[in-house]
Amino acid sequence: QVQLVESGGGLVQAGGSLRLSCAASGSIFSINAMAWYCQTPGKQRELVATISRGGSPSYADSVKGRFTISRDNAKNTVYLQMDSLKPEDTAVYYCNMRTIVDYWGKGTLVTVSS
């Protein structure tokens, strides 16, 4: 059974940095895109960043220039480096890995204090 496990969330002051990681365990093959989403109470899950199998990244406008997504295909792991954090970045962050099936992690909470 495939599981995605996120780590790296926590409490940080505005202007600070966090690095999220998401590792897949189990039999997962031919991962195409990997992505990070965020969700706040009462809102739909939103795409933060995605990275193709070949390593091409794409970002939501709100995080461009501040967040960096990367992946290690050998480790089936995706990262999100979050710099210059703002209070509005506060959310639960979920990783996603896409094969012929979509896999999701359970989320990690990021709280940015002002």
Side-chain angles (χ1 to χ4, degrees), residues 41-77:
K43 293 189 176 182
Q44 288 190 334
R45 197 169 294 186
E46 298 179 344
L47 179 64
V48 175
T50 186
I51 185 166
S52 70
R53 183 177 180 85
S56 297
S58 179
Y59 300 96
D61 287 343
S62 59
V63 307
K64 281 181 181 176
R66 299 189 298 120
F67 291 8
T68 303
I69 189 170
S70 60
R71 64 189 283 170
D72 185 333
N73 290 332
K75 295 181 179 179
N76 289 336
T77 299

Side-chain angles (χ1 to χ4, degrees), residues 103-114:
Y103 295 101
W104 291 91
K106 293 184 177 181
T108 185
L109 177 62
V110 171
T111 304
V112 184
S113 64
S114 58

Side-chain angles (χ1 to χ4, degrees), residues 17-94:
S17 297
L18 285 173
R19 187 179 190 233
L20 306 184
S21 300
C22 172
S25 63
S27 299
I28 184 169
F29 304 102
S30 299
I31 303 173
N32 294 316
M34 296 182 178
W36 289 94
Y37 289 73
C38 69
Q39 189 171 24
T40 54
K43 293 189 176 182
Q44 288 190 334
R45 197 169 294 186
E46 298 179 344
L47 179 64
V48 175
T50 186
I51 185 166
S52 70
R53 183 177 180 85
S56 297
S58 179
Y59 300 96
D61 287 343
S62 59
V63 307
K64 281 181 181 176
R66 299 189 298 120
F67 291 8
T68 303
I69 189 170
S70 60
R71 64 189 283 170
D72 185 333
N73 290 332
K75 295 181 179 179
N76 289 336
T77 299
V78 61
Y79 306 96
L80 186 68
Q81 178 67 41
M82 312 167 73
D83 297 319
S84 302
L85 282 160
K86 303 176 181 179
E88 50 263 44
D89 295 322
T90 296
V92 177
Y93 285 75
Y94 298 88

